[in-house]
Amino acid sequence: MKQPIGVIDSGVGGLTVASELIRQLPKESIIYLGDTKRCPYGPRPKEEVIQYTWEMVNFLMTKDIKMLVIACNTATAFVLEQLKEALSFPVVGVIQPGARAAITSSRTGEIGVIGTEGTINSRAYVDALKQINSQITVRDLACPAFVPLVEKGIVKGSEAYQVVRESLGQMKVYNDMDTLILGCTHYPMIKDLIQEVIGSTVTVISSGEETAREVSTILGYQKKLYQGQLEPQNHFYTTGDVEVFQAIASRWFDQRVDAVSKIDLHSVKSL
Amino acid sequence: MKQPIGVIDSGVGGLTVASELIRQLPKESIIYLGDTKRCPYGPRPKEEVIQYTWEMVNFLMTKDIKMLVIACNTATAFVLEQLKEALSFPVVGVIQPGARAAITSSRTGEIGVIGTEGTINSRAYVDALKQINSQITVRDLACPAFVPLVEKGIVKGSEAYQVVRESLGQMKVYNDMDTLILGCTHYPMIKDLIQEVIGSTVTVISSGEETAREVSTILGYQKKLYQGQLEPQNHFYTTGDVEVFQAIASRWFDQRVDAVSKIDLHSVKSL
């Protein structure tokens, strides 16, 4: 069916998920909504994250989406189950796909997870991994320096390398750790640096890539992949500044992103 | 829920899928049925494959399975869609997971597929890949020498290496091919040799590993993963010789497999 896939995030991080969806599912149309104005969600109380996430979902429901991707770790941790219960179309978060891919990849059963302080403190990845295999050893580490780095566009060169090396230093003592989950949607932008620092024996899992894979799995399983000949149409909405969003999106997508509109979530009525 | 996952195959090849399910989902119980007596299905007429597959499914339905995995390329190609329509629980085949994983992995868009002559001639992988991304270039090759090799237990050493090198020779001209799908459930047993011959720049995708990953995705998505404390119980059924099956299973699983029973599918009544 020609309906688009909806993607929500607290800001721009989820664009790494959107770009993977466009790469892996080139026939599908994407509608992305980043709540840039109220970003980040991490430090906010749970009730506020739930309210803001629902405001985003209510907006996307006016666009007749066939599936919802919560491309935000905080919103996934707090609202995924509630949205799955409430909505009639499939809902996928970013945490479980990364956890499942790590279990598929790991031979030693020792898995690392890096993310923001909020995500690491929530223990959402630990729970997702242990739910599938209680014998897994999880090594987790907050890397608060990475998001500011990526948002400033410093994704290569010696400054970025120094920050990554210092942040990941204590991960390097885990000799049996053979898999590392990038538990933040910003981190794929510095995946090469992370791989270089952590070493070639560790498989680095990008949750964006894995989330797109699971969207493909579920749409395929439910026979909802688009099979027609129409060109895909992607559109991006932000609650913040259109030009700033456009600049970041164009840099991350490595091509000019024009289809960006500003939206005021308070004007959206709940369906 | 404590219900087992059912796995069917025309013979022993699907054991590579079963072992991946056990590795990736260690809390789940598996019931495996290999129709060893009537193996292989590849050369049989479509109607016969459909009938035999339904006989296996009817047997597993007496075991109250919560999900069905068709760990056989021929049966997947001919019966997957019919089974998905007819059964009330999820059904997963081995072709689509390998195709999706290859699309996730490939950066060049040039993907190789190797399998039995039946699988390659069916073009099932080509169709599965093109359905998702019509721009993908597929390089496919039948490797009829591999299954006899693996069933004889010759999975390393110079003889095996020679066979793999000669079979894959013509694949090596495709310089842009960065991903190779093992489109036969026997091939993971010689994955290391295939990787050595095809070179380290090509990602080798094992459909067993990817099928288990998608079983995890769908059970997780549907909240059907077992969350209790009971130890898993795995049981294997064969329509052929129990000792031969046991010997192959023990060798492939690298541990003695005792829970093997013989079954006569003609005595199973359709539900």
Side-chain angles (χ1 to χ4, degrees):
Chain A
M1 54 179 95
K2 191 54 193 160
Q3 294 167 273
I5 299 167
V7 182
I8 54 173
D9 181 40
S10 58
V12 291
L15 288 171
T16 60
V17 181
S19 75
E20 276 298 319
L21 284 168
I22 292 166
R23 185 179 74 83
Q24 294 183 41
L25 293 169
K27 295 182 186 175
E28 300 295 331
S29 298
I30 310 293
I31 292 192
Y32 182 96
L33 168 55
D35 192 7
T36 336
K37 190 178 166 188
R38 300 185 291 197
C39 183
Y41 281 10
R44 295 184 184 275
K46 183 173 176 177
E47 286 313 314
E48 206 166 62
V49 173
I50 293 173
Q51 185 201 320
Y52 290 0
T53 304
W54 267 107
E55 286 174 12
M56 288 199 282
V57 172
N58 285 331
F59 171 71
L60 286 189
M61 282 169 76
T62 66
K63 303 292 178 188
D64 191 28
I65 57 173
K66 64 178 172 184
M67 183 162 190
L68 175 68
V69 180
I70 313 174
C72 169
N73 281 279
T74 309
T76 298
F78 289 162
V79 206
L80 174 65
E81 291 309 321
Q82 199 182 103
L83 288 170
K84 279 174 74 169
E85 293 287 327
L87 300 174
S88 59
F89 44 77
V91 184
V92 166
V94 275
I95 292 172
Q96 294 74 15
R100 274 190 282 265
I103 284 175
T104 303
S105 155
S106 178
R107 301 287 151 173
T108 61
E110 192 168 330
I111 294 172
V113 183
I114 54 175
T116 63
E117 284 181 309
T119 300
I120 297 303
N121 290 341
S122 78
R123 297 183 62 79
Y125 278 95
V126 180
D127 292 346
L129 289 162
K130 298 268 188 190
Q131 192 189 14
I132 299 172
N133 183 350
S134 43
Q135 305 298 312
I136 295 280
T137 302
V138 186
R139 308 295 188 181
D140 54 0
L141 179 70
C143 298
F146 288 3
V147 168
L149 199 73
V150 170
E151 294 216 339
K152 272 183 261 169
I154 307 168
V155 296
K156 48 191 169 185
S158 61
E159 183 186 345
Y161 180 78
Q162 283 304 326
V163 171
V164 173
R165 202 180 65 169
E166 277 164 33
S167 298
L168 291 184
Q170 68 189 86
M171 273 281 177
K172 291 189 61 98
V173 302
Y174 305 124
N175 291 322
D176 285 340
M177 187 184 84
D178 66 350
T179 305
L180 176 67
I181 303 172
L182 305 186
C184 170
T185 50
H186 282 68
Y187 295 3
M189 301 302 294
I190 48 170
K191 186 179 179 183
D192 290 349
L193 286 176
I194 292 169
Q195 183 77 68
E196 192 180 338
V197 168
I198 205 73
S200 60
T201 56
V202 176
T203 303
V204 176
I205 304 278
S206 155
S207 49
E209 200 172 301
E210 301 303 333
T211 300
R213 160 82 188 278
E214 296 209 353
V215 168
S216 178
T217 301
I218 290 167
L219 287 181
Y221 171 73
Q222 294 198 337
K223 295 195 170 203
K224 286 185 175 170
L225 287 169
Y226 178 63
Q227 294 302 316
Q229 300 300 322
L230 294 175
E231 286 293 309
Q233 290 186 308
N234 303 319
H235 205 98
F236 300 84
Y237 294 89
T238 172
T239 56
D241 189 278
V242 168
E243 283 178 21
V244 171
F245 187 94
Q246 214 160 23
I248 295 179
S250 301
R251 197 166 67 220
W252 287 16
F253 280 47
D254 218 9
Q255 64 181 46
R256 195 170 154 72
V257 175
D258 282 316
V260 183
S261 309
K262 182 162 179 167
I263 181 197
D264 178 6
L265 286 178
H266 298 295
S267 66
V268 179
K269 288 252 175 356
S270 171
L271 292 180
Chain B
M1 55 178 96
K2 189 55 192 159
Q3 294 166 272
I5 299 167
V7 182
I8 55 173
D9 182 39
S10 57
V12 293
L15 288 171
T16 58
V17 181
S19 75
E20 276 298 319
L21 285 168
I22 292 166
R23 184 179 77 81
Q24 294 184 39
L25 293 170
K27 295 181 184 175
E28 300 295 331
S29 298
I30 310 293
I31 292 192
Y32 182 95
L33 169 55
D35 192 8
T36 336
K37 190 178 168 188
R38 301 186 290 197
C39 184
Y41 280 9
R44 294 184 185 276
K46 183 173 176 177
E47 287 312 314
E48 205 166 63
V49 173
I50 294 173
Q51 185 201 321
Y52 291 0
T53 304
W54 267 107
E55 287 173 12
M56 289 201 281
V57 173
N58 284 330
F59 170 70
L60 286 188
M61 282 170 76
T62 67
K63 302 293 178 187
D64 191 27
I65 57 172
K66 65 178 171 184
M67 183 162 189
L68 176 68
V69 181
I70 313 173
C72 170
N73 280 279
T74 310
T76 298
F78 288 163
V79 207
L80 174 65
E81 292 307 322
Q82 198 181 105
L83 289 170
K84 279 175 74 169
E85 292 286 328
L87 301 174
S88 58
F89 43 77
V91 185
V92 166
V94 277
I95 293 171
Q96 293 74 14
R100 274 188 283 265
I103 284 175
T104 303
S105 156
S106 178
R107 300 287 152 173
T108 60
E110 191 167 329
I111 294 173
V113 184
I114 53 175
T116 63
E117 283 180 309
T119 301
I120 296 303
N121 290 341
S122 78
R123 298 185 61 80
Y125 278 95
V126 180
D127 291 346
L129 289 162
K130 297 268 189 190
Q131 193 188 14
I132 299 171
N133 183 349
S134 43
Q135 305 299 313
I136 294 281
T137 302
V138 186
R139 308 296 188 180
D140 55 0
L141 179 70
C143 297
F146 288 3
V147 167
L149 199 73
V150 170
E151 294 217 338
K152 274 184 257 167
I154 306 169
V155 296
K156 48 190 169 188
S158 62
E159 183 185 347
Y161 180 77
Q162 283 303 327
V163 172
V164 173
R165 202 180 63 168
E166 276 164 33
S167 298
L168 292 185
Q170 68 188 86
M171 273 281 178
K172 291 188 62 94
V173 302
Y174 304 124
N175 291 322
D176 284 339
M177 187 186 84
D178 66 350
T179 305
L180 177 67
I181 303 173
L182 306 185
C184 170
T185 52
H186 282 69
Y187 296 2
M189 301 301 294
I190 48 170
K191 186 179 178 183
D192 291 349
L193 287 176
I194 293 169
Q195 183 77 68
E196 193 180 336
V197 168
I198 204 72
S200 60
T201 56
V202 176
T203 302
V204 176
I205 304 280
S206 155
S207 49
E209 200 172 299
E210 300 303 333
T211 301
R213 159 84 187 278
E214 296 209 353
V215 168
S216 179
T217 301
I218 290 166
L219 287 180
Y221 171 72
Q222 295 199 336
K223 294 194 171 206
K224 286 185 175 172
L225 287 169
Y226 179 62
Q227 294 302 317
Q229 300 300 322
L230 293 175
E231 286 293 310
Q233 291 186 310
N234 303 320
H235 204 98
F236 300 85
Y237 295 89
T238 171
T239 55
D241 188 278
V242 169
E243 283 178 21
V244 171
F245 187 94
Q246 214 160 23
I248 294 179
S250 301
R251 196 166 68 218
W252 287 16
F253 279 49
D254 218 9
Q255 65 181 46
R256 194 170 154 70
V257 175
D258 282 316
V260 183
S261 310
K262 182 160 179 167
I263 173 169
D264 179 5
L265 285 178
H266 298 296
S267 66
V268 179
K269 289 249 175 359
S270 171
L271 291 180

